[in-house]
């Protein structure tokens, strides 16, 4: 197996402040994207009432509709990101997803809202692959888990703000009642979509200020020499099939568990404990932000320190340990009588359950050559979004509708489905450890041979 031979001198890394400025702007874009994506979780009951749909159909809007076009276009958009200006790709995506969020407020039937959610997926399919690729060119590999974890952790800020700000916003709009605008009369939940779509305007202007960094060469092991055409991305994935399959399935299962909880925990607190949307936003929203961000960011920097100390499998070891600790808590929290105890236990589940997205997901850019990094990340996100946004919410809704047969028994569904996903994910990541360490040894040999 040959190694890639750099054809040009590797450019110097940008200054630390410049790198972190890029991380900050991309994180703000991620926050807004998650608000647009997750605001629907707070609007479940009014949407159901107005459109006359079931929990299962809501789960399709929460996940499958978003993930469908994401799956179709994620890899082609990543291919573009690996070859052309990544900042322009993200700007295009921002226009697409914010326009689709606004269009969600125009929906008066299920199918219109379904298609609007699909186009939110199209736009947001640009952000993570291109954004992580940009960040990877701003930092050295040993320093990469920290910035990546901050960027990924920003999504949980967005999820929390979707509940906190969304809950407050919806309560004000619900109190005011339907409003007549120049283009029609709209219910409070529709007006909420309009309002959050406008957040993208300042973000667009901020994105214009970040640079498109020079792509840096590396010495990662490739199936063959030279700048790879598209088919060589598949050759790269095939050459590491055991490792990539285990990593992608494992982290996708963790994603399904957390997205299932995120989709239905607001309804759980409203149905089982009688909370209002405003109370969900005030109490649960900060938990999502603080616990989610803490789990992702702290684990990323901890993995960075462990890598510097020579713990080669740090990005796999931390996720396995944390999720094993989360499993019993994930069974218990939906079944306790006190909403405050449930909220406290759920905070721990979110904190421990989000460690894989900080310490773990940084594994992909660490083991992938620069020139195909966005496409490999997109391959992971394709599966993670299809499985996470589909299986996560849908399995919980299916259990509630078809096994327990009562919306008020959603707590039992939450005690079963996410736990099963977490357990499968742990098994997959454990299976990935051996191939990962062998891959690290090959990369070390490649670097030695080119030095």
């Amino acid at each position: 197996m040959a190694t890639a031979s750099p054809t040009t001198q590797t450019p110097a890394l940008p200054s630390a402040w410049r790198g972190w400025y890029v991380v900050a702007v991309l994180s703000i874009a991620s926050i807004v994207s998650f608000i647009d994506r997750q605001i629907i979780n707070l609007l479940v009951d009014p949407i159901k009432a107005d459109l006359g749909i079931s929990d299962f159909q809501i789960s399709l809007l929460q996940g499958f509709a978003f993930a469908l076009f994401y799956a179709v276009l994620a890899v082609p958009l990543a291919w573009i990101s690996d070859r052309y200006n990544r900042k322009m790709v993200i700007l295009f995506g921002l226009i697409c997803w914010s326009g689709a969020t606004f269009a969600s407020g125009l929906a008066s039937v299920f199918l219109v809202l379904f298609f609007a959610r699909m186009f939110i997926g199209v736009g947001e399919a640009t952000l993570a692959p291109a954004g992580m690729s940009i960040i990877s060119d701003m930092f050295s590999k040993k320093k990469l888990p920290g910035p990546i974890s901050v960027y990924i952790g920003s999504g949980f800020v967005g999820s929390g703000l979707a509940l906190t700000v969304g809950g407050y916003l919806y309560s004000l709009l619900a109190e005011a009642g339907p409003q007549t605008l120049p283009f029609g009369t709209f219910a409070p939940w529709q007006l909420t979509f309009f309002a959050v779509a406008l957040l993208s305007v300042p973000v667009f202007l901020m994105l214009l200020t970040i640079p498109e960094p020079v792509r840096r060469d590396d010495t990662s092991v490739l199936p063959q020499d030279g700048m790879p055409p598209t088919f060589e991305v598949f050759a790269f994935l095939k050459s590491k099939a055991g490792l990539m399959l285990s990593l992608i399935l494992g982290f996708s299962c963790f994603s399904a568990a957390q997205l299932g909880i995120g989709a239905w925990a607001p309804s759980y607190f409203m149905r089982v404990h009688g909370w209002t949307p405003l109370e969900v936003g005030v109490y649960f929203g900060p938990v999502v932000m603080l616990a989610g961000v803490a789990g992702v960011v702290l684990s990323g920097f901890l993995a960075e320190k462990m890598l510097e100390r020579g713990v080669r499998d740090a990005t796999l070891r931390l996720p396995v340990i944390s999720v094993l600790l989360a499993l019993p808590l994930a069974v218990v929290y939906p079944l306790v009588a006190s909403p405050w105890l449930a909220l406290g236990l759920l905070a721990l589940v979110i904190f421990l359950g989000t460690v894989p997205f900080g310490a773990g997901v940084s594994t992909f850019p660490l083991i992938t050559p620069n020139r195909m990094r966005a496409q490999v990340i997109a391959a992971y996100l394709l599966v993670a979004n299809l499985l996470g946004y589909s299986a996560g919410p849908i399995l919980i809704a299916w259990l509630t509708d078809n096994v327990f047969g009562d919306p008020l028994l959603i707590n039992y569904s939450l005690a079963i489905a996410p736990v099963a996903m977490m357990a499968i994910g742990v098994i997959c990541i454990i299976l990935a450890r051996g191939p990962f360490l062998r891959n690290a040894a090959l990369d070390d040999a490649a670097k030695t041979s080119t030095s």
Side-chain angles (χ1 to χ4, degrees):
M1 184 176 292
T3 60
S5 300
T7 57
T8 59
Q9 184 177 0
T10 301
L13 284 166
S15 63
W17 75 265
R18 192 172 181 84
W20 280 107
Y21 174 74
V22 170
V23 172
V25 173
L26 290 173
S27 295
I28 292 171
S30 176
I31 288 170
V32 171
S33 77
F34 269 81
I35 292 174
D36 287 7
R37 186 188 311 184
Q38 303 283 0
I39 190 67
I40 193 173
N41 296 338
L42 193 68
L43 307 174
V44 166
D45 288 335
I47 291 174
K48 283 183 64 178
D50 280 6
L51 303 188
I53 57 179
S54 66
D55 272 2
F56 180 77
Q57 288 173 299
I58 282 288
S59 71
L60 295 178
L61 296 174
Q62 290 170 317
F64 181 72
F66 171 85
L68 184 59
F69 259 24
Y70 191 109
V72 173
L73 294 178
V75 173
L77 288 170
W79 182 90
I80 295 172
S81 297
D82 275 335
R83 283 155 179 78
Y84 301 104
N85 189 297
R86 292 163 287 188
K87 184 173 76 171
M88 293 298 105
V89 172
I90 293 173
L91 288 170
F92 163 80
L94 175 66
I95 294 170
C96 183
W97 90 61
S98 58
T101 301
F102 192 90
S104 299
L106 300 173
S108 58
V109 295
F110 172 77
L111 279 179
V112 173
L113 187 52
F114 185 91
F115 282 111
R117 295 287 297 173
M118 286 174 62
F119 278 94
I120 292 175
V122 173
E124 295 189 8
T126 65
L127 182 56
M132 290 174 70
S133 178
I134 288 174
I135 292 170
S136 297
D137 282 330
M138 305 295 290
F139 298 89
S140 67
K141 283 193 172 185
K142 286 186 177 180
K143 291 293 185 181
L144 191 56
I148 290 290
S149 68
V150 170
Y151 172 67
I152 295 175
S154 65
F156 291 92
V157 176
S159 296
L161 287 176
L163 297 173
T164 305
V165 177
Y168 179 73
L169 177 63
Y170 177 75
S171 67
L172 291 178
L173 293 171
E175 185 177 345
Q179 298 294 310
T180 300
L181 302 177
F183 44 93
T185 300
F186 300 95
W189 65 266
Q190 294 173 302
L191 296 169
T192 304
F193 279 120
F194 295 155
V196 298
L198 296 177
L199 294 173
S200 295
V201 175
V203 176
F204 182 90
L205 299 176
M206 295 178 68
L207 284 169
L208 293 176
T209 68
I210 69 170
E212 169 65 18
V214 176
R215 297 178 190 268
R216 304 178 67 247
D217 293 319
D218 53 51
T219 54
S220 301
V221 176
L222 288 168
Q224 65 185 65
D225 288 338
M227 181 66 74
T230 301
F231 76 87
E232 234 182 25
V233 175
F234 298 99
F236 172 77
L237 292 173
K238 183 179 179 181
S239 72
K240 303 180 187 298
L243 171 60
M244 286 297 184
L245 184 63
S246 296
L247 288 176
I248 289 173
L249 287 179
F251 290 124
S252 295
C253 285
F254 296 148
S255 177
Q258 290 300 313
L259 290 169
I261 291 172
W264 288 108
S267 296
Y268 156 74
F269 283 110
M270 286 187 275
R271 294 177 186 179
V272 176
H273 297 294
W275 285 7
T276 65
L278 179 59
E279 288 174 319
V280 170
V282 170
Y283 302 130
F284 181 51
V287 165
V288 174
M289 282 190 283
L290 296 176
V293 172
V296 174
V297 175
L298 291 179
S299 68
F301 283 101
L302 180 57
E304 184 180 299
K305 295 297 182 184
M306 292 173 69
L307 287 173
E308 291 176 348
R309 294 175 182 173
V311 183
R312 299 303 299 269
D313 62 341
T315 58
L316 303 184
R317 187 180 300 186
L318 284 174
V320 168
I321 294 172
S322 66
V323 174
L324 286 175
L325 292 173
L327 281 172
L329 303 175
V331 175
V332 172
Y333 89 83
L335 306 178
V336 299
S338 167
W340 306 111
L341 178 58
L343 188 64
L345 293 172
L346 180 53
L348 292 174
V349 172
I350 294 173
F351 172 75
L352 294 168
T354 54
V355 165
F357 309 129
V361 173
S362 60
T363 304
F364 292 106
L366 286 175
I367 64 176
T368 305
N370 175 290
R371 50 190 171 272
M372 56 178 71
R373 197 169 280 153
Q375 293 170 86
V376 171
I377 292 170
Y380 155 67
L381 291 173
L382 186 155
V383 179
N385 280 278
L386 274 178
L387 185 62
Y389 279 100
S390 298
I394 286 175
L395 184 55
I396 293 171
W398 182 83
L399 288 172
T400 303
D401 284 345
N402 298 290
V403 175
F404 301 111
D406 185 348
L408 296 178
L409 298 181
I410 192 173
N411 55 331
Y412 293 107
S413 303
L414 281 166
I416 295 172
V419 173
M421 288 287 135
M422 289 183 196
I424 295 171
V426 167
I427 294 170
C428 290
I429 300 303
I430 289 174
L431 292 174
R433 183 175 179 272
F436 174 83
L437 292 174
R438 289 193 292 272
N439 179 82
L442 287 173
D443 276 354
D444 286 344
K447 291 173 184 175
T448 301
S449 67
T450 56
S451 62

